[in-house]
């Protein structure tokens, strides 16, 4: 009987380990993602307006990856928050760990394969109202850990997204598009950014998948 119990426990341990390596549901996600219903309500309150000031955008106007605590900057803080089994050196840079990219469903074991994506890209924020902000506001936005703005994702997926909004780019993992829309809306709502009519329609369609 003892051997049977031991075998069962061993089998369960193997299954749980396999699940932890293959599923993204148990991984950490950014905070304060609203429900679909709340997101829809907030979407309806956002101001629809044309984008402006595109030619004056400069990424350097958003001071990002500032020191958050000790030796840890914003990027390193997100990598520790969203990864599993993350080990960091004395300079806070991760030396090992695993990261699940919800945009495409990939899992990575090297931090160099992971980018920290701004849900609403800096250039998109600039065109949607951030051009009128102070430097301090833009810094706070670029390093926002209190909302669903910063995501650990596959590096080339982040690069393919660039500064696009949901009218021209959505995650390849269709099951994540509901969450993506909810997070996008929350960022624009919290930071009082505008959106375009086509962008609103795209977000409504994404919420319909929830």
């Amino acid at each position: 009987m003892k051997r049977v119990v031991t075998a069962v426990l061993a089998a369960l341990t193997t299954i749980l380990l396999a699940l932890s390596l293959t599923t993204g549901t148990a991984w950490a996600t950014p905070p304060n993602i609203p429900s679909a219903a709340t997101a829809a309500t907030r979407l309806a309150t956002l101001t629809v307006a044309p984008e402006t000031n595109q030619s004056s955008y400069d990424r350097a106007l958003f001071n990002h990856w500032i020191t958050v605590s000790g030796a840890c900057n914003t990027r390193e803080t997100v990598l520790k928050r969203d990864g599993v089994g993350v080990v960091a050196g004395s300079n806070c840079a991760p030396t090992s760990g695993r990261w699940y990219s919800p945009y495409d469903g990939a899992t990575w074991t090297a931090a160099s394969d992971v980018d920290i994506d701004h849900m609403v890209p800096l250039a998109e924020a600039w065109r949607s109202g951030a051009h009128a902000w102070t430097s301090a506001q833009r810094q706070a936005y670029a390093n926002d850990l209190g909302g669903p703005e910063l995501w650990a994702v596959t590096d080339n997926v982040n690069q393919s997204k660039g500064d696009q909004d949901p009218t021209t780019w959505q995650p390849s993992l269709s099951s994540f598009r509901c969450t993506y829309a909810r997070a996008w809306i929350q960022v624009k709502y919290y930071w009082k950014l505008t959106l375009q009519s086509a962008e609103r329609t795209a977000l409504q369609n994404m919420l319909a998948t929830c």
Side-chain angles (χ1 to χ4, degrees):
M1 182 64 180
K2 183 177 180 181
R3 282 185 293 177
V4 172
V5 172
T6 301
V8 170
L9 289 174
L12 286 173
T13 300
T14 301
I15 292 170
L16 290 172
L17 178 60
L19 286 172
S20 71
L21 293 171
T22 58
T23 66
T25 55
W27 300 73
T29 56
N32 295 320
I33 302 172
S35 67
T38 298
T41 299
R42 291 177 178 174
L43 176 60
T45 70
L46 295 178
T47 299
V48 176
E51 293 181 342
T52 61
N53 292 273
Q54 180 170 348
S55 62
S56 61
Y57 169 72
D58 186 336
R59 187 174 176 85
L61 293 169
F62 291 81
N63 184 25
H64 55 289
W65 305 169
I66 61 173
T67 300
V68 174
S69 177
C72 299
N73 65 24
T74 312
R75 170 182 163 81
E76 293 156 350
T77 301
V78 175
L79 288 172
K80 290 174 69 176
R81 180 194 71 188
D82 294 353
V84 170
V86 178
V87 176
S90 58
N91 63 351
C92 204
T95 56
S96 62
R98 297 196 314 279
W99 292 271
Y100 173 78
S101 170
Y103 292 5
D104 58 339
T107 299
W108 302 98
T109 56
S112 58
D113 290 321
V114 179
D115 277 358
I116 305 305
D117 176 54
H118 289 92
M119 170 59 63
V120 176
L122 303 181
E124 166 69 17
W126 178 266
R127 299 189 297 261
S128 303
H131 59 85
W133 292 352
T134 65
S135 296
Q137 286 174 308
R138 288 193 287 270
Q139 176 175 293
Y141 179 84
N143 300 277
D144 182 12
L145 294 166
E149 168 68 346
L150 301 175
W151 294 76
V153 301
T154 303
D155 54 1
N156 61 354
V157 171
N158 179 47
Q159 291 152 24
S160 72
K161 172 184 172 180
D163 65 351
Q164 299 179 82
D165 70 33
T167 62
T168 54
W169 192 93
Q170 296 180 16
S172 60
L173 196 63
S174 59
S175 60
F176 184 70
R177 290 177 186 170
C178 166
T179 302
Y180 190 90
R182 288 156 49 206
W184 182 284
I185 292 165
Q186 175 60 21
V187 172
K188 287 222 160 178
Y189 173 82
Y190 180 82
W191 289 96
K192 297 179 174 58
L193 296 169
T194 63
L195 79 170
Q196 301 175 89
S197 179
E199 180 186 347
R200 180 176 62 180
T201 299
L203 290 165
Q204 289 171 334
N205 291 337
M206 294 171 79
L207 287 178
T209 68
C210 296

Short mmCIF file of all heavy atoms in Angstrom, two decimals, residues 168-197:
data_model
loop_
_atom_site.label_atom_id
_atom_site.label_comp_id
_atom_site.label_asym_id
_atom_site.label_seq_id
_atom_site.Cartn_x
_atom_site.Cartn_y
_atom_site.Cartn_z
N THR A 168 -4.47 47.78 -36.21
CA THR A 168 -3.50 47.18 -37.14
C THR A 168 -2.66 46.07 -36.52
O THR A 168 -1.93 45.38 -37.23
CB THR A 168 -2.56 48.26 -37.70
OG1 THR A 168 -1.95 48.98 -36.60
CG2 THR A 168 -3.31 49.24 -38.58
N TRP A 169 -2.73 45.92 -35.18
CA TRP A 169 -1.97 44.84 -34.54
C TRP A 169 -2.73 44.31 -33.34
O TRP A 169 -3.19 45.09 -32.48
CB TRP A 169 -0.59 45.33 -34.06
CG TRP A 169 0.32 44.20 -33.67
CD1 TRP A 169 1.23 43.57 -34.46
CD2 TRP A 169 0.39 43.55 -32.38
NE1 TRP A 169 1.86 42.56 -33.75
CE2 TRP A 169 1.36 42.53 -32.48
CE3 TRP A 169 -0.28 43.74 -31.18
CZ2 TRP A 169 1.68 41.70 -31.40
CZ3 TRP A 169 0.03 42.91 -30.10
CH2 TRP A 169 1.02 41.90 -30.22
N GLN A 170 -2.84 42.97 -33.29
CA GLN A 170 -3.42 42.28 -32.14
C GLN A 170 -2.60 41.02 -31.87
O GLN A 170 -1.95 40.50 -32.78
CB GLN A 170 -4.89 41.91 -32.41
CG GLN A 170 -5.80 43.12 -32.60
CD GLN A 170 -7.25 42.75 -32.86
OE1 GLN A 170 -7.67 41.62 -32.64
NE2 GLN A 170 -8.02 43.72 -33.34
N PRO A 171 -2.59 40.52 -30.65
CA PRO A 171 -1.80 39.33 -30.33
C PRO A 171 -2.16 38.14 -31.22
O PRO A 171 -3.35 37.93 -31.52
CB PRO A 171 -2.15 39.05 -28.87
CG PRO A 171 -2.64 40.35 -28.34
CD PRO A 171 -3.33 41.02 -29.48
N SER A 172 -1.17 37.39 -31.63
CA SER A 172 -1.42 36.21 -32.47
C SER A 172 -2.19 35.15 -31.70
O SER A 172 -2.92 34.35 -32.29
CB SER A 172 -0.10 35.63 -32.99
OG SER A 172 0.74 35.23 -31.90
N LEU A 173 -2.04 35.14 -30.36
CA LEU A 173 -2.79 34.20 -29.53
C LEU A 173 -4.19 34.78 -29.31
O LEU A 173 -4.40 35.65 -28.46
CB LEU A 173 -2.07 34.01 -28.20
CG LEU A 173 -2.49 32.79 -27.35
CD1 LEU A 173 -2.19 31.50 -28.08
CD2 LEU A 173 -1.75 32.83 -26.01
N SER A 174 -5.14 34.32 -30.11
CA SER A 174 -6.48 34.93 -30.11
C SER A 174 -7.17 34.85 -28.75
O SER A 174 -7.97 35.72 -28.41
CB SER A 174 -7.35 34.28 -31.18
OG SER A 174 -7.47 32.88 -30.96
N SER A 175 -6.84 33.83 -27.96
CA SER A 175 -7.47 33.68 -26.64
C SER A 175 -7.05 34.79 -25.68
O SER A 175 -7.68 34.98 -24.64
CB SER A 175 -7.12 32.32 -26.04
OG SER A 175 -5.71 32.18 -25.88
N PHE A 176 -6.01 35.52 -26.02
CA PHE A 176 -5.53 36.60 -25.15
C PHE A 176 -6.10 37.96 -25.55
O PHE A 176 -5.92 38.94 -24.83
CB PHE A 176 -3.99 36.66 -25.18
CG PHE A 176 -3.40 37.67 -24.23
CD1 PHE A 176 -3.46 37.48 -22.85
CD2 PHE A 176 -2.81 38.82 -24.70
CE1 PHE A 176 -2.94 38.43 -21.97
CE2 PHE A 176 -2.28 39.77 -23.84
CZ PHE A 176 -2.34 39.56 -22.47
N ARG A 177 -6.80 38.03 -26.67
CA ARG A 177 -7.24 39.33 -27.17
C ARG A 177 -8.25 40.01 -26.25
O ARG A 177 -8.29 41.24 -26.16
CB ARG A 177 -7.80 39.17 -28.58
CG ARG A 177 -6.69 38.86 -29.58
CD ARG A 177 -7.19 38.62 -30.98
NE ARG A 177 -6.09 38.18 -31.84
CZ ARG A 177 -6.23 37.71 -33.07
NH1 ARG A 177 -7.46 37.62 -33.60
NH2 ARG A 177 -5.17 37.34 -33.77
N CYS A 178 -9.04 39.24 -25.54
CA CYS A 178 -9.96 39.82 -24.56
C CYS A 178 -9.17 40.55 -23.48
O CYS A 178 -9.45 41.72 -23.17
CB CYS A 178 -10.82 38.72 -23.94
SG CYS A 178 -11.71 39.22 -22.44
N THR A 179 -8.18 39.89 -22.90
CA THR A 179 -7.35 40.50 -21.87
C THR A 179 -6.59 41.70 -22.41
O THR A 179 -6.46 42.74 -21.75
CB THR A 179 -6.36 39.48 -21.29
OG1 THR A 179 -7.09 38.37 -20.76
CG2 THR A 179 -5.51 40.09 -20.18
N TYR A 180 -6.10 41.57 -23.63
CA TYR A 180 -5.35 42.66 -24.26
C TYR A 180 -6.22 43.91 -24.37
O TYR A 180 -5.78 45.02 -24.02
CB TYR A 180 -4.89 42.21 -25.65
CG TYR A 180 -3.90 43.14 -26.32
CD1 TYR A 180 -2.53 42.99 -26.13
CD2 TYR A 180 -4.33 44.17 -27.16
CE1 TYR A 180 -1.62 43.83 -26.76
CE2 TYR A 180 -3.43 45.02 -27.78
CZ TYR A 180 -2.08 44.84 -27.57
OH TYR A 180 -1.17 45.68 -28.19
N ALA A 181 -7.46 43.74 -24.84
CA ALA A 181 -8.37 44.88 -24.98
C ALA A 181 -8.67 45.49 -23.62
O ALA A 181 -8.70 46.73 -23.47
CB ALA A 181 -9.66 44.44 -25.66
N ARG A 182 -8.92 44.66 -22.61
CA ARG A 182 -9.23 45.17 -21.28
C ARG A 182 -8.06 45.98 -20.72
O ARG A 182 -8.26 47.04 -20.11
CB ARG A 182 -9.56 44.00 -20.35
CG ARG A 182 -10.92 43.36 -20.66
CD ARG A 182 -10.98 41.91 -20.17
NE ARG A 182 -10.54 41.77 -18.79
CZ ARG A 182 -10.03 40.64 -18.30
NH1 ARG A 182 -9.87 39.56 -19.07
NH2 ARG A 182 -9.67 40.59 -17.04
N ALA A 183 -6.84 45.48 -20.93
CA ALA A 183 -5.65 46.19 -20.43
C ALA A 183 -5.44 47.49 -21.20
O ALA A 183 -5.14 48.53 -20.60
CB ALA A 183 -4.42 45.29 -20.56
N TRP A 184 -5.59 47.45 -22.53
CA TRP A 184 -5.41 48.65 -23.36
C TRP A 184 -6.38 49.76 -22.91
O TRP A 184 -5.99 50.91 -22.74
CB TRP A 184 -5.62 48.29 -24.82
CG TRP A 184 -5.42 49.42 -25.79
CD1 TRP A 184 -6.28 50.46 -26.04
CD2 TRP A 184 -4.27 49.64 -26.63
NE1 TRP A 184 -5.75 51.30 -26.99
CE2 TRP A 184 -4.53 50.83 -27.36
CE3 TRP A 184 -3.08 48.95 -26.83
CZ2 TRP A 184 -3.62 51.33 -28.30
CZ3 TRP A 184 -2.17 49.45 -27.77
CH2 TRP A 184 -2.44 50.61 -28.47
N ILE A 185 -7.63 49.37 -22.75
CA ILE A 185 -8.65 50.34 -22.33
C ILE A 185 -8.32 50.93 -20.97
O ILE A 185 -8.45 52.14 -20.75
CB ILE A 185 -10.04 49.68 -22.32
CG1 ILE A 185 -10.47 49.34 -23.76
CG2 ILE A 185 -11.07 50.57 -21.63
CD1 ILE A 185 -11.63 48.37 -23.84
N GLN A 186 -7.90 50.08 -20.04
CA GLN A 186 -7.58 50.56 -18.69
C GLN A 186 -6.45 51.60 -18.73
O GLN A 186 -6.51 52.62 -18.04
CB GLN A 186 -7.18 49.40 -17.78
CG GLN A 186 -6.72 49.81 -16.39
CD GLN A 186 -7.77 50.57 -15.59
OE1 GLN A 186 -8.97 50.48 -15.88
NE2 GLN A 186 -7.35 51.32 -14.59
N VAL A 187 -5.42 51.34 -19.52
CA VAL A 187 -4.31 52.29 -19.61
C VAL A 187 -4.79 53.62 -20.16
O VAL A 187 -4.48 54.69 -19.62
CB VAL A 187 -3.17 51.71 -20.47
CG1 VAL A 187 -2.10 52.77 -20.72
CG2 VAL A 187 -2.55 50.49 -19.80
N LYS A 188 -5.56 53.58 -21.24
CA LYS A 188 -6.05 54.83 -21.83
C LYS A 188 -7.01 55.55 -20.88
O LYS A 188 -7.01 56.79 -20.79
CB LYS A 188 -6.71 54.56 -23.17
CG LYS A 188 -5.69 54.24 -24.27
CD LYS A 188 -6.01 54.91 -25.59
CE LYS A 188 -4.80 54.99 -26.48
NZ LYS A 188 -5.10 55.59 -27.79
N TYR A 189 -7.80 54.79 -20.16
CA TYR A 189 -8.75 55.37 -19.22
C TYR A 189 -8.02 56.04 -18.05
O TYR A 189 -8.30 57.19 -17.70
CB TYR A 189 -9.70 54.28 -18.72
CG TYR A 189 -10.63 54.71 -17.61
CD1 TYR A 189 -11.83 55.38 -17.91
CD2 TYR A 189 -10.34 54.43 -16.28
CE1 TYR A 189 -12.69 55.77 -16.89
CE2 TYR A 189 -11.20 54.82 -15.26
CZ TYR A 189 -12.38 55.48 -15.57
OH TYR A 189 -13.23 55.86 -14.57
N TYR A 190 -7.08 55.32 -17.46
CA TYR A 190 -6.38 55.83 -16.28
C TYR A 190 -5.56 57.08 -16.62
O TYR A 190 -5.53 58.05 -15.85
CB TYR A 190 -5.47 54.75 -15.70
CG TYR A 190 -4.70 55.20 -14.47
CD1 TYR A 190 -5.31 55.18 -13.22
CD2 TYR A 190 -3.40 55.68 -14.57
CE1 TYR A 190 -4.62 55.61 -12.09
CE2 TYR A 190 -2.71 56.12 -13.46
CZ TYR A 190 -3.32 56.08 -12.22
OH TYR A 190 -2.65 56.52 -11.10
N TRP A 191 -4.91 57.05 -17.79
CA TRP A 191 -4.04 58.15 -18.17
C TRP A 191 -4.76 59.22 -19.00
O TRP A 191 -4.13 60.14 -19.49
CB TRP A 191 -2.81 57.61 -18.90
CG TRP A 191 -1.88 56.88 -17.97
CD1 TRP A 191 -1.83 55.53 -17.74
CD2 TRP A 191 -0.91 57.47 -17.12
NE1 TRP A 191 -0.88 55.23 -16.81
CE2 TRP A 191 -0.29 56.41 -16.40
CE3 TRP A 191 -0.48 58.77 -16.88
CZ2 TRP A 191 0.72 56.63 -15.47
CZ3 TRP A 191 0.53 58.99 -15.96
CH2 TRP A 191 1.12 57.92 -15.27
N LYS A 192 -6.07 59.06 -19.16
CA LYS A 192 -6.89 60.06 -19.85
C LYS A 192 -6.38 60.35 -21.26
O LYS A 192 -6.28 61.51 -21.70
CB LYS A 192 -6.97 61.35 -19.03
CG LYS A 192 -7.64 61.16 -17.67
CD LYS A 192 -7.68 62.46 -16.89
CE LYS A 192 -8.49 62.32 -15.58
NZ LYS A 192 -7.97 61.26 -14.70
N LEU A 193 -6.10 59.27 -21.97
CA LEU A 193 -5.66 59.38 -23.36
C LEU A 193 -6.86 59.24 -24.30
O LEU A 193 -7.83 58.56 -23.97
CB LEU A 193 -4.62 58.30 -23.67
CG LEU A 193 -3.31 58.40 -22.88
CD1 LEU A 193 -2.47 57.14 -23.07
CD2 LEU A 193 -2.52 59.64 -23.28
N THR A 194 -6.77 59.86 -25.46
CA THR A 194 -7.85 59.76 -26.44
C THR A 194 -7.69 58.50 -27.28
O THR A 194 -6.67 57.79 -27.19
CB THR A 194 -7.85 60.99 -27.36
OG1 THR A 194 -6.60 61.01 -28.10
CG2 THR A 194 -8.00 62.28 -26.56
N LEU A 195 -8.67 58.21 -28.10
CA LEU A 195 -8.57 57.11 -29.05
C LEU A 195 -9.31 57.49 -30.33
O LEU A 195 -10.15 58.40 -30.34
CB LEU A 195 -9.10 55.80 -28.48
CG LEU A 195 -10.61 55.54 -28.43
CD1 LEU A 195 -10.87 54.10 -28.05
CD2 LEU A 195 -11.32 56.46 -27.46
N GLN A 196 -8.96 56.79 -31.40
CA GLN A 196 -9.60 57.04 -32.68
C GLN A 196 -10.86 56.18 -32.81
O GLN A 196 -11.01 55.16 -32.12
CB GLN A 196 -8.64 56.70 -33.82
CG GLN A 196 -7.35 57.52 -33.78
CD GLN A 196 -6.39 57.07 -34.84
OE1 GLN A 196 -6.40 57.55 -35.97
NE2 GLN A 196 -5.54 56.11 -34.48
N SER A 197 -11.74 56.58 -33.72
CA SER A 197 -12.99 55.85 -33.91
C SER A 197 -12.74 54.40 -34.31
O SER A 197 -13.37 53.48 -33.77
CB SER A 197 -13.84 56.56 -34.98
OG SER A 197 -15.04 55.85 -35.19
#
